[in-house]
Amino acid sequence: MRFEGRCVVITGATRGIGRACALAFAKEGAGLVLTYASSEKAAEEVKEECEKTGAETVFVKADVSKEEDVAKVFETAIEKFGRVDVLVNNAGITKDNILLRMKTEEFDDVIDTNLKGSFLCMRAASKIMLKKRYGRIVNLSSVVGVRGNAGQLNYSASKAGVIGMTKSLAKELAAKNITVNAVAPGMIETDMTAAMPEGAREEMKKMIPAKRIGKSEDVARAICFLAEEGSGYITGQVLCVDGGMAV
């Protein structure tokens, strides 16, 4: 029970990596404040799963690109648990297109959610963590933020930006017993990859030295590792969970 007595905030927790993180932390004894953007039904299902483990779980509807919504999330954490020990910045969107066809709003929307949203949550969490002189922040980047990818200029920019923010904030907070790290997943089994044509999936697999597509649980385990108390001497790092794609 590595996170017993800890409060963990996870954004975008209704599916994929966010859901896997919520369940992983719940099984380890954490109290959870989770966010969802639209599907209340999906939020209720995840809440029920987490509560089966005995974890106190609260969902907050929030658009992480909006300052007032982010404030509501952390106010809820303080009201419910009186603390925030771990932040997992997972909420993110994609709006893929090649540069010449990409609309300005497609670029802005992805940057606002993925990059600005992470900034707003880190700022809110840091203020609380500094009072306790303890905290673990784990940001979701992507192998696309490390390597780039055609047709994902906006997403690549947002995820590369997350890495830059991670390293900068790590330096600001290291002396205060607060670590800031990033996890960069590769190709992971999600709703999006499940919808890919089988031929495209097989071509992607050929690019992965491990010769398999990762699972959300693979990423969740890495996030839990960086979030635990014993990882306090690891900060400013980017952990690629990608089967070797970024090597």
Side-chain angles (χ1 to χ4, degrees):
M1 302 294 279
R2 286 178 290 174
F3 300 100
E4 190 169 6
R6 301 291 192 192
C7 169
V8 179
V9 175
I10 305 170
T11 64
T14 56
R15 60 182 183 172
I17 292 169
R19 176 183 172 279
C21 284
L23 292 172
F25 279 105
K27 289 171 184 174
E28 295 277 6
L32 300 173
V33 178
L34 312 174
T35 80
Y36 72 101
S38 56
S39 177
E40 188 171 345
K41 182 173 183 252
E44 284 298 325
E45 288 171 356
V46 174
K47 184 175 188 290
E48 189 176 319
E49 286 183 84
C50 291
E51 288 179 339
K52 282 179 183 175
T53 71
E56 287 191 75
T57 308
V58 181
F59 256 103
V60 181
K61 184 175 183 179
D63 177 346
V64 295
S65 71
K66 291 183 167 44
E67 198 165 343
E68 59 273 22
D69 283 16
V70 170
K72 181 174 65 176
V73 171
F74 288 90
E75 285 165 6
T76 301
I78 293 300
E79 288 169 10
K80 180 71 175 175
F81 299 104
R83 59 195 298 150
V84 173
D85 300 288
V86 178
L87 165 65
V88 179
N89 262 322
N90 173 70
I93 62 171
T94 58
K95 292 194 176 182
D96 298 346
N97 222 331
I98 61 170
L99 174 63
L100 295 180
R101 292 179 186 166
M102 185 173 290
K103 298 173 183 176
T104 302
E105 55 267 31
E106 290 175 329
F107 184 87
D108 288 345
D109 288 349
V110 171
I111 294 295
D112 281 350
T113 298
N114 300 2
L115 189 60
K116 181 184 173 186
S118 295
F119 157 73
L120 290 174
C121 290
M122 286 195 297
R123 187 175 66 180
S126 295
K127 289 177 181 177
I128 299 167
M129 291 172 176
L130 282 166
K131 292 177 183 175
K132 298 281 188 182
R133 294 184 71 85
Y134 179 87
R136 302 285 182 262
I137 297 173
V138 185
N139 296 320
L140 266 292
S141 180
S142 168
V143 68
V144 172
V146 177
R147 297 180 50 180
N149 195 38
Q152 290 191 301
L153 185 144
N154 50 2
Y155 188 72
S156 299
S158 72
K159 294 303 186 179
V162 164
I163 290 173
M165 290 198 303
T166 296
K167 291 178 178 292
S168 295
L169 188 60
K171 291 182 177 182
E172 291 183 20
L173 299 180
K176 309 297 184 184
N177 198 26
I178 300 169
T179 65
V180 189
N181 291 289
V183 169
M187 190 174 183
I188 304 297
E189 287 282 9
T190 62
D191 292 347
M192 183 175 67
T193 56
M196 290 173 65
E198 187 58 33
R201 283 167 59 88
E202 288 305 312
E203 285 302 311
M204 286 295 293
K205 270 206 257 187
K206 290 177 185 176
M207 298 168 58
I208 304 170
K211 300 304 178 191
R212 73 173 179 89
I213 297 172
K215 299 180 183 300
S216 295
E217 290 76 15
D218 293 324
V219 184
R221 281 190 286 270
I223 290 168
C224 285
F225 163 69
L226 291 172
E228 69 182 27
E229 189 172 349
S231 297
Y233 205 56
I234 302 170
T235 195
Q237 302 304 305
V238 181
L239 178 56
C240 291
V241 184
D242 62 0
M245 277 183 78
V247 174

